[in-house]
Amino acid sequence: MIPAITASKIYSTLGNNNSLVPLAVKDVANSLGITAGSYITGDATEGKDRFIDEVGTQFIWLFGIPIYKKVLDWTIFKPFKYDPKVDPRIMHDKEVLKQAFRYADESVRGNIKKAAQNQKIFKGLTFGKFAASTALTIFSYGALTKFRYKYTEQKIREEEKAKMAAASKANGNNAKSGTTTTSTHLPPKFSQAFSAVHKDNQQANTAKDNKQPAFTGKTPLQVLDHFMFSPTNNLMIVDGAITGERLVMSETKQDFFGYLIKEGSFWGFMYFAGQKIQNHLEKSAETKHNRNIGLDARVIESKELNEAMKTTKLAESLEEFGKVYGKSDAEIYKFLNTNPDNLIVQFAKKSDIIETFPEKKFLGFVLKKSDRIDNRRYINISDVKSVYENLGKLKAQLGEYLTENTGNTVDNFLKEVKKLKRASVLKNIGSCIGALGIIAPAIMVGFRFMSNNKDFERKQRIIAELQQQQQP
């Protein structure tokens, strides 16, 4: 059985919409399904081509931006002596900035001050890092696509030339013995059909425009923050470029419609459906079971929550935070820094809403975090309020549960909450994996079979070209 602390970490990570891990899990499932489908409908050549595309894209998509950002930290921020860990969002509210500087650890206070005194330069560097890392990642995918096309075409040509040479030798031997061998040339109809398909596809690609989505109800700064500081939203930009490039660079209708199905399902279940499914499951747990499961799994499974519910600690923490709940962000920010023992503060730290300094590190990985708040980091006050609201609901539900039956206990109540939380995460990630790893590839395979289009068209095109070159 997985230890509770390990299980809580796993469920918390898989249920975190700002984490790259659930995206990676979904993408692996999608890549395996798509690659298997290519082997089923096409042949080993198409399967290898798809494998290079999927694995290479997956690496670039997940690690391109973080790697390039780290390089830019060394090459841009370090020469200017700025701290890249200072989040420009703490400067949006002057009062919050004052509190951040006031309560900052001595080791980083000077870094915050320098960034705040040179906001225009610092924000420009931050935006430049975001734009450059995103552009370089997109460029890397373009380079991968060119390499893949060239590599696959080279392998096909080598293979077919070897086959043609063998067939030519066999024909020569058969001519001496008075026998003939059936020509392996593709019929003229195929070449004509391919030319028409390729021409139509090129015309369709030329006619495409680059319309940008409109973001209404938000200021330009909010829209920029939305993409710059969320790993998943940052990836949406890269994905938009990858999707567009895949469709535009499709050499055949087979490629185009295959990518259309793949990318449509990918966008739907990678970025939008997951949060919708999670919201539905949380609402269902509340309405059907009267259990709130909105808290992070690390909080729900923690011994601190269990102990707090058995004492007056939870009620006291809720009452303390309730006094500043309706006040300004700066007042709440001050509370977070001056009340380290409050459960809302502690659980916000445990949920990574409030970032703290690492206590133990190994090869760059944080093994354990301290309790000291890293005031360079941005704290989303709305997320802190959500912790307070969910704890309040859970406390009320516990009260109802204990009054229903004298045999009911806090331990049994939390067991039910943990069970519902784990089930919601598994159902969410499982449904997305099923859609991306099974249903979408099955649709692509079905489309190929129904349209009688199982052959790898790029390969057939190259074969046709080689055979035409051999004709006298």
Side-chain angles (χ1 to χ4, degrees):
M1 186 176 184
I2 299 175
I5 186 67
T6 304
S8 67
K9 179 64 176 178
I10 291 172
Y11 286 107
S12 173
T13 303
L14 291 178
N16 183 358
N17 289 300
N18 280 320
S19 171
L20 296 182
V21 175
L23 295 182
V25 171
K26 296 174 190 177
D27 196 34
V28 168
N30 184 240
S31 296
L32 291 174
I34 297 294
T35 302
S38 295
Y39 274 100
I40 292 171
T41 53
D43 56 16
T45 302
E46 182 178 356
K48 290 177 182 177
D49 179 76
R50 178 68 73 176
F51 180 78
I52 294 171
D53 185 21
E54 293 297 326
V55 174
T57 302
Q58 188 175 75
F59 181 85
I60 292 170
W61 179 65
L62 287 172
F63 303 110
I65 289 178
I67 290 174
Y68 283 126
K69 279 185 174 180
K70 183 61 69 175
V71 171
L72 291 168
D73 285 344
W74 293 332
T75 57
I76 297 178
F77 281 82
K78 191 173 181 180
F80 282 91
K81 297 182 180 180
Y82 284 107
D83 185 349
K85 292 184 179 180
V86 176
D87 194 318
R89 288 176 292 179
I90 67 173
M91 304 172 198
H92 290 352
D93 187 324
K94 291 182 180 180
E95 295 304 316
V96 169
L97 177 59
K98 288 180 182 178
Q99 298 296 341
F101 179 75
R102 178 181 179 183
Y103 295 106
D105 191 90
E106 286 292 338
S107 63
V108 299
R109 184 174 293 169
N111 298 350
I112 296 174
K113 183 178 181 180
K114 181 174 181 178
Q117 289 177 338
N118 302 277
Q119 289 190 36
K120 189 174 181 180
I121 295 174
F122 182 75
K123 289 180 179 179
L125 289 174
T126 303
F127 175 76
K129 181 173 73 171
F130 157 73
S133 60
T134 303
L136 287 168
T137 302
I138 294 170
F139 174 80
S140 297
Y141 174 73
L144 170 70
T145 301
K146 290 179 181 178
F147 163 78
R148 177 171 61 88
Y149 279 177
K150 186 176 181 180
Y151 175 82
T152 300
E153 183 167 335
Q154 181 182 347
K155 290 298 180 183
I156 292 172
R157 288 183 181 277
E158 290 175 357
E159 180 183 329
E160 292 308 314
K161 283 180 178 179
K163 288 182 181 179
M164 289 177 182
S168 178
K169 184 177 181 181
N171 285 336
N173 292 334
N174 290 332
K176 292 179 181 179
S177 61
T179 60
T180 59
T181 302
T182 304
S183 172
T184 58
H185 289 330
L186 293 174
K189 287 185 178 179
F190 172 82
S191 297
Q192 294 170 3
F194 171 78
S195 298
V197 168
H198 194 51
K199 182 178 180 181
D200 290 344
N201 203 51
Q202 286 180 325
Q203 291 174 346
N205 292 338
T206 303
K208 289 180 183 293
D209 56 22
N210 294 320
K211 294 182 178 178
Q212 297 295 326
F215 296 94
T216 58
K218 288 187 176 182
T219 66
L221 184 61
Q222 289 174 319
V223 173
L224 189 59
D225 286 351
H226 180 74
F227 287 105
M228 281 180 62
F229 300 105
S230 168
T232 55
N233 293 333
N234 204 167
L235 287 179
M236 287 179 71
I237 300 176
V238 176
D239 243 331
I242 290 175
T243 298
E245 190 169 337
R246 278 175 163 172
L247 295 177
V248 169
M249 292 186 68
S250 296
E251 292 187 331
T252 65
K253 283 188 175 180
Q254 182 185 87
D255 278 348
F256 180 82
F257 285 109
Y259 279 131
L260 198 63
I261 295 170
K262 170 185 166 53
E263 296 300 317
S265 60
F266 187 89
W267 273 83
F269 285 90
M270 190 66 73
Y271 295 114
F272 303 110
Q275 184 60 55
K276 296 289 184 183
I277 293 170
Q278 189 63 34
N279 290 342
H280 169 74
L281 293 171
E282 289 180 3
K283 185 177 180 181
S284 177
E286 188 114 33
T287 55
K288 293 182 179 180
H289 304 280
N290 193 32
R291 300 289 181 270
N292 182 279
I293 58 172
L295 290 166
D296 190 287
R298 287 168 290 187
V299 174
I300 290 175
E301 305 207 24
S302 67
K303 63 179 182 180
E304 290 85 357
L305 179 62
N306 187 302
E307 293 171 358
M309 283 187 159
K310 293 176 180 177
T311 64
T312 60
K313 177 68 174 176
L314 179 58
E316 291 170 357
S317 292
L318 289 169
E319 183 180 357
E320 288 173 356
F321 188 85
K323 293 177 182 178
V324 298
Y325 177 82
K327 294 186 178 181
S328 68
D329 286 359
E331 286 293 323
I332 295 175
Y333 193 95
K334 178 181 178 180
F335 179 91
L336 301 179
N337 282 273
T338 55
N339 293 271
D341 295 329
N342 185 277
L343 286 178
I344 286 79
V345 178
Q346 290 183 5
F347 291 155
K349 291 176 181 178
K350 190 178 286 290
S351 305
D352 291 331
I353 295 171
I354 299 175
E355 290 284 344
T356 59
F357 286 99
E359 188 173 292
K360 290 182 180 180
K361 294 180 71 175
F362 178 73
L363 297 177
F365 294 95
V366 177
L367 300 180
K368 184 181 179 182
K369 289 188 174 184
S370 68
D371 197 49
R372 296 180 299 124
I373 295 177
D374 186 350
N375 293 93
R376 295 172 298 177
R377 308 289 194 170
Y378 173 71
I379 300 175
N380 190 322
I381 300 300
S382 295
D383 289 345
V384 177
K385 287 182 176 180
S386 293
V387 174
Y388 167 78
E389 292 163 1
N390 287 322
L391 279 171
K393 290 178 182 179
L394 209 58
K395 179 181 177 299
Q397 291 164 358
L398 173 63
E400 295 173 14
Y401 175 78
L402 294 177
T403 57
E404 288 172 1
N405 192 316
T406 54
N408 290 343
T409 64
V410 171
D411 290 335
N412 289 337
F413 175 80
L414 286 177
K415 281 182 182 178
E416 292 181 17
V417 176
K418 291 175 188 177
K419 184 178 178 180
L420 289 168
K421 181 67 176 184
R422 292 184 178 190
S424 72
V425 172
L426 292 177
K427 287 178 182 177
N428 186 353
I429 201 80
S431 60
C432 290
I433 287 174
L436 293 171
I438 299 174
I439 297 176
I443 292 174
M444 292 174 67
V445 170
F447 175 78
R448 293 273 292 272
F449 275 99
M450 287 189 295
S451 60
N452 195 26
N453 190 18
K454 293 189 293 180
D455 291 329
F456 187 21
E457 286 188 354
R458 269 197 285 144
K459 182 176 182 178
Q460 299 305 313
R461 186 250 306 165
I462 295 169
I463 293 174
E465 290 176 357
L466 290 173
Q467 290 178 345
Q468 286 177 357
Q469 291 171 8
Q470 282 198 337
Q471 291 178 355

